[in-house]
Amino acid sequence: MKISILGAGAMGCMAAGFLVKRHDVTLVDIWKEHIDAINKNGLRVRFQGEETTVHPKATTDPNEAKDADLVIVFVKSTQTAEALEKNRVLLGPHTLVLSLQNGYGNDQDIMKFAPKDNIIMGTTDRAASVLGPGFVNNSGGRYIHIGPLGEDMSGAEKVAAAFRECGLDTSVCDNKHVTEMIWDKLIINCANNALVALLDINTPLLLEEHLSDSFKMLLGESVKVARACGLPFEESVYVDKNIALLKSLSKEARTSMWQDVNKKRRTEIDRMNGAIVKLGREKGVPTPCSELVVHLIHAIENKYV
Ligand code: NAD
């Protein structure tokens, strides 16, 4: 399969590290130093302390990766529309587009550039981080769940088979279930991500007194908005789910929004708690706690030098 990965950051490179085993993979990114390093020395991937070097193609020029069979969008959710606009050439009439990004609204952004029937959405618990130009850490993870935005499952089945060939455990579900899975991850992200970034703490500390009350307030608002959007979610189930997740994390775990703030990068807050606020307004669900954390995260971003 000819695969172009739009966004060669942590997750794009992690995916390339697997997919290059069997497919023709090109990483596309605007970060020239990183792309040059991959072309010069290969892509170094660290996993559980062991390092391997793989050799996907890498470019800052989307013309070198056009008309792919599959484009995987791995820019931040706030960058999806702009990145696709600037890299339209990657998409031919039959190109499948897959998003495993976090946040709300990636599907609507992608639909401006590709027919609904070509779009596949999904979630993963896989995680990664960039260690330097041409060098990433694959933090592991177990699953990838994908499903079509439309009714036709054949594209998603093809992508899942291509992923499985390379050791990525991938399951396929229909559009209703994939929407539920994206919301499921969104609710958990909205409960934890911003609080950890604002308080500069390790994620499992959210289990402590006051902090658990805080995540429950955010989570409660997100679940109410999800229900107003037609999703069959229960607040108590999500509280238990988040407690189980927080208990399962390593003591040093930090959320991706903490990583962004720590590196003085724009966060995905507008596509997480910000999306809850926006949808809440549309559906008449009050979301004051979510609105507060959106303002606080933006205030931090505005202080970056
Ligand atoms: P990242 O910041 O490491 O990588 C994004 C890359 O996109 C950067 O290298 C950036 O230069 C590139 N980019 C930005 N604009 C571009 C453009 N116009 N054209 C080409 N490239 C462009 O981000 P990430 O951590 O890999 O996350 C990507 C998505 O995956 C996010 O939605 C994130 O929430 C989600 N996600 C991340 C993890 C994780 O562990 N990192 C896990 C699950 C999901």
Side-chain angles (χ1 to χ4, degrees):
M1 208 179 217
K2 184 177 169 186
I3 302 176
S4 299
I5 301 181
L6 178 59
M11 292 299 278
C13 284
M14 181 279 296
F18 284 92
L19 296 172
V20 75
K21 291 177 197 167
R22 293 287 175 89
H23 305 288
D24 174 6
V25 176
T26 307
L27 288 160
V28 182
D29 204 290
I30 49 179
W31 182 16
K32 190 168 181 316
E33 190 191 2
H34 180 55
I35 294 297
D36 288 347
I38 296 169
N39 283 324
K40 190 161 172 240
N41 305 315
L43 170 64
R44 294 161 62 203
V45 183
R46 185 187 285 169
F47 178 57
Q48 294 178 340
E50 302 273 310
E51 206 179 297
T52 50
T53 300
V54 292
H55 296 276
K57 295 175 201 157
T59 183
T60 54
D61 178 1
N63 286 301
E64 291 176 16
K66 64 184 178 186
D67 288 336
D69 300 312
L70 171 67
V71 168
I72 308 176
V73 184
F74 258 141
V75 296
K76 296 280 194 189
S77 54
T78 45
Q79 302 163 330
T80 304
E82 186 189 341
L84 282 169
E85 175 71 50
K86 291 186 172 152
N87 292 278
R88 272 175 188 268
V89 68
L90 299 180
L91 307 174
H94 303 294
T95 304
L96 297 169
V97 185
L98 168 67
S99 165
L100 297 172
Q101 300 157 280
N102 284 322
Y104 181 87
N106 293 301
D107 51 352
Q108 287 143 47
D109 283 345
I110 298 170
M111 257 199 290
K112 294 174 196 151
F113 303 94
K116 188 174 176 183
D117 286 343
N118 291 6
I119 301 172
I120 302 163
M121 301 301 295
T123 61
T124 180
D125 71 341
R126 289 191 164 275
S129 55
V130 174
L131 300 174
F135 191 18
V136 293
N137 186 60
N138 168 9
S139 318
R142 293 153 302 147
Y143 68 80
I144 297 175
H145 298 309
I146 63 173
L149 200 54
E151 303 297 327
D152 182 1
M153 308 279 287
S154 62
E157 298 282 7
K158 211 159 101 183
V159 169
F163 276 31
R164 282 189 221 112
E165 272 180 62
C166 302
L168 288 168
D169 188 5
T170 308
S171 64
V172 181
C173 61
D174 63 19
N175 51 12
K176 179 173 168 279
H177 285 101
V178 84
T179 302
E180 285 180 10
M181 284 187 302
I182 289 167
W183 266 96
D184 180 89
K185 200 166 180 204
L186 179 70
I187 287 168
I188 299 293
N189 280 332
C190 288
N192 302 335
N193 265 17
L195 286 179
V196 168
L198 288 167
L199 294 161
D200 189 18
I201 54 171
N202 293 335
T203 312
L205 285 183
L206 291 179
L207 287 165
E208 293 189 355
E209 197 189 356
H210 302 301
L211 295 175
S212 63
D213 292 332
S214 307
F215 90 64
K216 284 175 195 167
M217 291 167 88
L218 290 169
L219 191 148
E221 289 183 2
S222 301
V223 171
K224 284 187 186 78
V225 170
R227 288 174 67 88
C229 291
L231 290 128
F233 293 163
E234 292 295 337
E235 194 173 324
S236 60
V237 172
Y238 275 90
V239 169
D240 291 348
K241 196 169 181 163
N242 201 37
I243 289 172
L245 171 78
L246 294 170
K247 283 184 178 166
S248 75
L249 295 174
S250 79
K251 261 206 264 178
E252 297 77 32
R254 302 270 179 140
T255 61
S256 61
M257 201 169 293
W258 179 89
Q259 318 274 354
D260 287 338
V261 166
N262 192 42
K263 290 187 175 163
K264 296 188 171 9
R265 293 186 307 216
R266 304 299 295 183
T267 69
E268 295 183 292
I269 191 78
D270 286 337
R271 293 305 185 94
M272 293 185 177
N273 308 77
I276 296 298
V277 173
K278 190 164 173 278
L279 289 165
R281 271 192 205 124
E282 285 168 26
K283 304 283 177 190
V285 179
T287 57
C289 302
S290 307
E291 195 162 351
L292 174 64
V293 299
V294 172
H295 285 306
L296 292 174
I297 292 289
H298 282 318
I300 291 178
E301 290 172 338
N302 288 347
K303 283 176 71 182
Y304 294 163
V305 281

